[in-house]
Amino acid sequence: MLYQWSKRGWKVWAASTLPYSCLGQKESCRSLSLTGHVGFDSSPDQLVNKSINQGFCFNILCIGETGIGKSTLIDTLFNTHFDDRVANHFQPNVRLKAQTYDLHESNVRLKLTIVNTVGFGDQINKEDSYQPIVDYIDAQFEAYLQEELKIKRSLYSYHDTRIHVCLYFISPTGHSLKTLDLLTMKNLDSKVNIIPVIGKADTISKTELQKFKIKLMSELVSNGVQIYQFPTEDETISKINATMNGHLPFAVVGSLEEVKVGNKMVKARQYPWGIVQVENEHHCDFVKLREMLICTNMEDLREQTHTRHYELYRRCKLEEMGFRDTGPENKPVRLALLKYYADRKKSVSHSQATVESVQETYEAKRHEFFGELQRREEEMRQTFVQRVKEKEAILKEAERELQAKFEHLKRLHQEERMKLEEKRKLLEDEMIVFSKRKAATELLQAQAFASTPTVSLKKDKDRKNSSFM
């Protein structure tokens, strides 16, 4: 195999049957002059036609607090109204909302995906506000990697959802970056191309704005945050890109409202004190941002996403899975394969050897994974059994306490009942004694009443006799 270096890495250029010793040597390519027209000078035109037919995709991630002007700026950038509901400040956590649109300009088709962070910076505890964003970016890398590792791949028609650029909106406070902004950009700079922008830049004076820009860039450098730098390798755009790198972060104003200025209608924001023109470079950096983002460096953003950020994720993921670039004899895989073609001693083909190597690695990782899974399952089972035993012991102790409490209450109840029985018996005895006394009293009263009339008659008769005498 012969390899050729391109911007996306080493690519197979042609198959070769040269001996291994010849392939290991560096050969200089001869420059030949053609005696007539061949036609390969139309290759760029073929690439352009193929790209136009296939279309382009571009994915933008907008990060910023609610109300900073993210949706308005995106509408202004692409000169259209995207359907986006206004979010409130009462989101319990940060969530990402992705919407895809098909845009057409002339005969070029663009599949644009806008990913908005809903509720970013609205929570009281902002410690993990950046984590859902990191998880989303990694999920898109993982989806692309899974498609790339398939046996039957369809990357040509695959909808690439990897984030190509992150527009990080900074509040125009005029002071310094918030801790949340530094933490978020620090955790994202190795995963996505970050372009910082100052939202609603018309709320701060030009003098304060320049000082604010210098302070922001100083803080980013001192905290080790790597933002996207416009490339200066290409001579055709190196001058303008180098100039625009000095204007970062861009101070932008967004608006689709048209206001009459002189004899023409322009996009602007009208205030009682004057008019801020969106596309006037003396008023804001909107034109610079649109030029750099869409017209000049869109393809470089896509390429940086693939060759830098995705390759870093892919390398870490494959190393995690146990894949290495060296063979069993500590030789590079490519050299080992070339030596195989030269020696002709093995009976399997290059593809079969690669498949077997991948299969062996897969089987080893599979056994390792299942062993780890069984170990974790056993640990979880033991933990579950231990927790069940602890819970049973707690329940038994509670049951014993309840039983003791019940017995104590039962004894108290029995004692109270016995006391009441004794009182009842005493009361019944007193009632019997009282009844007997009552009966005796009634009997005595009856006897006394029966003897009382005879005595009174005798007394009357004696009184009458004494009166006659």
Side-chain angles (χ1 to χ4, degrees), residues 336-347:
L337 294 177
L338 290 175
K339 188 176 186 303
Y340 156 74
Y341 277 114
D343 295 341
R344 306 281 183 176
K345 290 181 179 180
K346 294 183 180 180
S347 60

Side-chain angles (χ1 to χ4, degrees), residues 372-407:
E372 181 69 15
L373 184 64
Q374 290 177 355
R375 185 183 65 80
R376 289 187 179 181
E377 185 178 354
E378 182 63 23
E379 288 180 357
M380 290 179 66
R381 191 181 68 81
Q382 294 293 339
T383 305
F384 177 74
V385 170
Q386 183 65 26
R387 288 183 178 178
V388 168
K389 289 181 179 178
E390 292 175 358
K391 195 67 176 177
E392 286 181 350
I394 292 172
L395 290 175
K396 287 181 179 179
E397 183 65 26
E399 185 180 359
R400 284 194 295 269
E401 291 179 358
L402 288 174
Q403 186 66 27
K405 189 175 181 180
F406 172 74
E407 294 293 336

Side-chain angles (χ1 to χ4, degrees), residues 26-38:
K26 293 183 179 178
E27 297 182 358
S28 58
C29 296
R30 293 185 299 163
S31 297
L32 300 177
S33 58
L34 302 178
T35 58
H37 182 262
V38 177

Side-chain angles (χ1 to χ4, degrees), residues 223-437:
N223 287 278
V225 178
Q226 300 292 327
I227 63 173
Y228 175 74
Q229 294 288 319
F230 303 117
T232 56
E233 293 82 7
D234 190 350
E235 295 180 357
T236 58
I237 59 173
S238 61
K239 187 175 181 180
I240 185 172
N241 277 353
T243 304
M244 291 303 168
N245 283 330
H247 286 282
L248 291 171
F250 293 126
V252 296
V253 178
S255 175
L256 286 178
E257 297 180 2
E258 293 191 348
V259 179
K260 189 173 184 181
V261 177
N263 296 325
K264 61 179 182 179
M265 303 295 291
V266 296
K267 293 183 180 67
R269 300 185 74 90
Q270 190 167 13
Y271 298 97
W273 45 264
I275 296 174
V276 178
Q277 299 180 32
V278 173
E279 296 178 333
N280 189 334
E281 294 191 43
H282 296 288
H283 292 186
C284 69
D285 298 332
F286 172 79
V287 175
K288 297 183 179 68
L289 175 63
R290 184 175 60 187
E291 181 74 19
M292 291 294 99
L293 183 66
I294 300 175
C295 304
T296 307
N297 298 300
M298 179 185 286
E299 189 57 33
D300 185 73
L301 288 165
R302 288 158 44 89
E303 187 175 344
Q304 286 291 324
T305 299
H306 184 82
T307 59
R308 180 186 169 194
H309 303 298
Y310 170 70
E311 284 298 325
L312 176 62
Y313 176 85
R314 176 180 174 274
R315 184 183 68 195
C316 295
K317 200 70 176 178
L318 291 180
E319 286 177 353
E320 237 178 73
M321 296 168 63
F323 291 96
R324 297 290 183 271
D325 286 337
T326 55
E329 298 178 1
N330 246 354
K331 293 182 179 180
V333 173
R334 186 184 306 161
L335 295 178
L337 294 177
L338 290 175
K339 188 176 186 303
Y340 156 74
Y341 277 114
D343 295 341
R344 306 281 183 176
K345 290 181 179 180
K346 294 183 180 180
S347 60
V348 293
S349 65
H350 172 208
S351 59
Q352 288 173 339
T354 306
V355 169
E356 287 181 0
S357 175
V358 172
Q359 187 173 0
E360 289 174 1
T361 305
Y362 170 76
E363 288 296 330
K365 294 301 292 182
R366 181 172 174 272
H367 288 303
E368 181 183 349
F369 172 76
F370 276 108
E372 181 69 15
L373 184 64
Q374 290 177 355
R375 185 183 65 80
R376 289 187 179 181
E377 185 178 354
E378 182 63 23
E379 288 180 357
M380 290 179 66
R381 191 181 68 81
Q382 294 293 339
T383 305
F384 177 74
V385 170
Q386 183 65 26
R387 288 183 178 178
V388 168
K389 289 181 179 178
E390 292 175 358
K391 195 67 176 177
E392 286 181 350
I394 292 172
L395 290 175
K396 287 181 179 179
E397 183 65 26
E399 185 180 359
R400 284 194 295 269
E401 291 179 358
L402 288 174
Q403 186 66 27
K405 189 175 181 180
F406 172 74
E407 294 293 336
H408 177 66
L409 293 175
K410 187 177 179 180
R411 285 195 301 271
L412 291 177
H413 176 69
Q414 291 291 342
E415 292 174 0
E416 290 292 330
R417 186 175 178 182
M418 291 175 64
K419 289 179 181 178
L420 289 174
E421 285 293 332
E422 291 176 358
K423 288 182 179 181
R424 186 176 66 81
K425 289 180 180 180
L426 291 173
L427 184 59
E428 287 179 351
D429 293 341
E430 289 178 359
M431 288 176 66
I432 292 171
V433 173
F434 177 76
S435 298
K436 290 180 179 179
R437 288 181 179 178

